[in-house]
Amino acid sequence: MTDPLLHIQRLRTSFKIKDDYYAAVDDVSLEVNKNEIVAIVGESGCGKSALAASITGLHNKERTKMDGRISFKNKDIANASINQLNQLRGSEIGMIFQDPLTALNPLMIIGEQIEETLMLHQKMSRQERKKRTVELLKEVGIPRAEQIYYQYPHQLSGGMRQRVVIAIAIANNPSLLIADEPTTALDVTIQSQILDLIRKLKDEMHAGIILITHDLGVVAEMADRVAVMYAGQIVEIAPVIELFDNPKHPYTRSLLQSVPSAFDKQERLYVIQGVVPPLPNLPREGCRFKSRIPWIPEEVHEKEPKMHEVGPGHFVRCTCYEDFHFIGEDGGMNHGAS
Amino acid sequence: MALLKLEDLHVHFPIRSGVFKRIVGHVKAVNGVSLELKSGETYGLVGESGSGKTTTGRAVIGLNEITSGKVFYAGKNLIEKKRTKELRREIQMIFQDPYSSLNPKKRVLDIIAEPLRNFESLTKQEEQKRVQQLLSQVGLSQKSIAKYPHEFSGGQRQRIGIARAIALQPKLIIADEPVSALDVSVQAQVLNFMKDLQKELNLTYLLISHDLGIIRHMCDRIGIMYKGRLVEEATAKEIYENPQHIYTKRLISSIPDIDPKNRGKMMALREEVKRDFDEKYNQYFDENGLAYDLKAIAADHFAALPGEGQ
Amino acid sequence: MWTFTFRRVLIMIPQILLLSIVIFFLAKMMPGDALTGLIDPNIGPEAIEAQREKLGLNDPWHVQYWNWITNLFQGDLGQSFQHKLPVTEIINQRLWNTFWLSVLTLILTYLIAIPLGLISGRYNDTISDRIITGYTYIGFAAPVFIFALLMLFIFGFQLGWFPTGGSVTPGTVPGTWSFFLSKVYHMLLPALSMALITTVSTVQYLRSEIIDTKQKDFVLLARSKGVSETRIYRKHIFRNSLLPIAAFFGYEISGLIGGSIFIENIFSYPGIGQLFLSSLMQRDTSVVTALVLLFGIASILGTLISDLILSIVDPRIRMK
């Protein structure tokens, strides 16, 4: 097998809160291949966005510590200088953000914002840049591209602005695309168009894509592989069909049970006990999900939970999945451990 | 009799322009909506941003001025009559964002007691007792009473918002995207809780949301809004399994399927529905781009299908 | 854009009208009138009454107001009893002195505020930021007149680097290069004294705007494009942070008017601030009224300028 496009090994990203550092990403290893969409799922505070920002070192350096290896095309970029990172950002690695309404500079015309990334990474004349920008706008499905070029962000709808953000991300044909909740702020019909667009990018550019989302429906539609994160760690990773057909980790199973489905009607939704603790209070020892499934006996958890291979490409953290069963919020509802 | 009935509701916002800011036109946010809520049911109002769903909800509670049309609550026309105190306490609202809809400088006691203070004259002890009772009803500890909103998680804050809304024992609650700012597991908690509360207090909900999963889970009947008008109204099952209007079909087909094995099927379906939508758009909307009036196509299923108007 | 400007200018008309009415009545309410200072104590009350009648001081208020306002439009602001000259003439001499002093003060204010605000906001919570914010706290706490006196004492009297009064060295010929230099030299210390104090609010404002803007999503997006930090500050943060400062510009002008009264008196600078105080002391009503009207119009023009600047730099306003 060829080397992965992106190989993250034992990454730990810690943020400074008051005077101490707390790991928001804690010992994460992940591979992303060319022509592959890897989804990272979890609730807010699980570390998925921190992981995405760590890859290109987008965090404020003064309040962040990073350990571990991130190799991109076989080069370590975890310890790259800001100049080296600036050469990767926007050219080899493109990023798409959650809120298209705030992601564009309100005082710059659309054309200028796309051209900036072309100017930084390619040798092009002014005319060539403009031509390429209009092409890009058309590529992401923006009608009247020549006019939109001269418009300001506030003149466009949310869906159109997200297309502009995508145009910026793909302007220099990146080989890795990181999309952080790209459709969360959009209506469902616009969402499906944007997802189509991202899928098309993968098919045409064969890029590797990291898709960060909390929406399991989006994961099911888009991903080739799925990593589920909880409290800064990956708790389960599997090919997409395997994950939905045969989820193992208690957190994955709980998440799947708590989403209201548009396709069939459940009487009650499953509620995960407790809350995700704030970063300084994250449990750092033993199984991190333990406190939210207190009816599972202590001895089935591992002291130092490791990833266990349970199928081809399917890994689960901690042994507690073997003995996990649901218990309803009022204690009576048992969904059974299938 | 219907608890809430809207008849040909219009809410138009003026567009002003020029040197003297004269009114040059109107944004017809709600453009002829009629619907009925039966006592004890949950009615879901669905649509994209800008479809007029939120404006409709806000008009019912009196936060947007009604341009024309009638709003009946328990048989009384809310527009002709001045909203009496009694009426105002019977209709309450739950807002979208639990982070910004609670005053950060007020204690939980003051937040929840605010409507009580406006409508009832209670002694300090009575008030405290009522607030404690409400807190236990929404599943928050008695200690919360002296805390401030920032000390709570998102789900707990939304419970505080709900406690405030039910403090006056309302009959109708308008919930505008009540869980869209919350994480899935917290969302599940609040939705379950809203259901329990409905049974306990015989509440009627007007639930406004863009999330079709939540709507399916919560609602008995659903109205689909597009550009200020209803394009379809039916029971939840009918809407999801037998949509008739091209917009409803488009909306339903856009929902991501939770089963990755259906991916190919869904993509083909979406492709087909989109083609249909583009081709037949002019048939389904009149020359002004408006949806036709709703017509009954089965018992409890109405759609704005083309054909001879009434 | 043009509709906006036109509309904005149109709004000024009722504003100025209202201002003139308010000033007119305030002037009427002041003890004494245009005659008081002129009266020779030896003249009998009948003669005074006759004089009052002649000057129209016994007419109903709207007739008086009408006369005043029509005269105003013809450039007649009345007569100063103190100087025995037409008010327009007195003001005209000093207006330009004050105008150039204000321009220099504004330039210095922004010359100080922009680099300090930028450094302070970009490197917040560092030593340099702490020093700059420390300075702004002192600036907030120190009254202009005490600070100006201190500056005058140190740089004017002790060190003798700057002149301690006047607006130009006597004897220089207007229009020559040395006249110009002498003017600037006389303005420098008063302008700097005022700028160093008034700039602190702009420094603080710019600092918090920059801290705010640098956490915006579009800055993160710019970083993800590979834009260097220098360029991020130049192209993305700076302009967005300056918007509110531009909105502040009009108030800055009102502040200058207040400040000029202190500064010109302390530095014996012959401007309208100094004129205002001396006229007030002497009950020279017609001069005071004219100056208050002038100050008011300057403030209204200031907000107009703010709005126009804002509409030029912010497309969201421009397009409306």
Side-chain angles (χ1 to χ4, degrees), chain B residues 108-281:
Chain B
V108 168
L109 172 69
D110 298 313
I111 290 170
I112 299 178
E114 194 200 320
L116 293 170
R117 287 172 192 165
N118 292 339
F119 285 91
E120 289 172 20
S121 40
L122 299 175
T123 65
K124 279 263 166 274
Q125 286 83 357
E126 284 173 327
E127 183 185 284
Q128 181 139 1
K129 228 178 117 201
R130 278 285 288 282
V131 172
Q132 274 170 343
Q133 197 187 331
L134 286 162
L135 281 174
S136 67
Q137 224 167 352
V138 298
L140 291 172
S141 82
Q142 302 298 328
K143 279 178 287 178
S144 319
I145 201 157
K147 290 186 180 169
Y148 289 88
H150 69 88
E151 298 174 66
F152 296 90
S153 68
Q156 288 171 324
R157 273 186 236 202
Q158 198 56 302
R159 282 162 183 259
I160 296 171
I162 294 173
R164 178 175 59 181
I166 61 170
L168 296 166
Q169 290 147 336
K171 296 206 168 73
L172 172 65
I173 287 185
I174 296 166
D176 187 2
E177 305 273 10
V179 293
S180 54
L182 306 175
D183 266 318
V184 274
S185 67
V186 185
Q187 173 179 307
Q189 207 176 14
V190 174
L191 292 178
N192 282 348
F193 169 66
M194 282 178 68
K195 276 193 155 185
D196 294 342
L197 207 61
Q198 179 170 38
K199 269 189 225 133
E200 209 177 299
L201 304 174
N202 191 32
L203 292 171
T204 309
Y205 287 133
L206 177 62
L207 179 63
I208 297 162
S209 179
H210 70 283
D211 186 316
L212 293 144
I214 291 168
I215 289 283
R216 174 90 202 243
H217 177 72
M218 295 291 289
C219 299
D220 304 302
R221 285 190 308 133
I222 293 167
I224 309 278
M225 275 188 88
Y226 183 66
K227 293 189 176 169
R229 289 177 67 85
L230 278 172
V231 296
E232 193 157 354
E233 181 187 85
T235 57
K237 198 171 154 60
E238 276 284 296
I239 286 277
Y240 285 86
E241 285 164 23
N242 186 23
Q244 292 299 313
H245 195 274
I246 47 163
Y247 178 69
T248 316
K249 287 183 188 169
R250 175 114 191 253
L251 200 64
I252 299 296
S253 73
S254 304
I255 309 168
D257 195 324
I258 198 92
D259 188 348
K261 292 192 290 293
N262 291 342
R263 218 180 258 182
K265 213 167 73 192
M266 287 302 290
M267 271 166 78
L269 174 71
R270 243 169 246 157
E271 193 69 22
E272 189 192 311
V273 172
K274 180 162 190 314
R275 208 178 316 118
D276 221 34
F277 185 84
D278 293 339
E279 271 169 22
K280 295 193 184 146
Y281 189 88

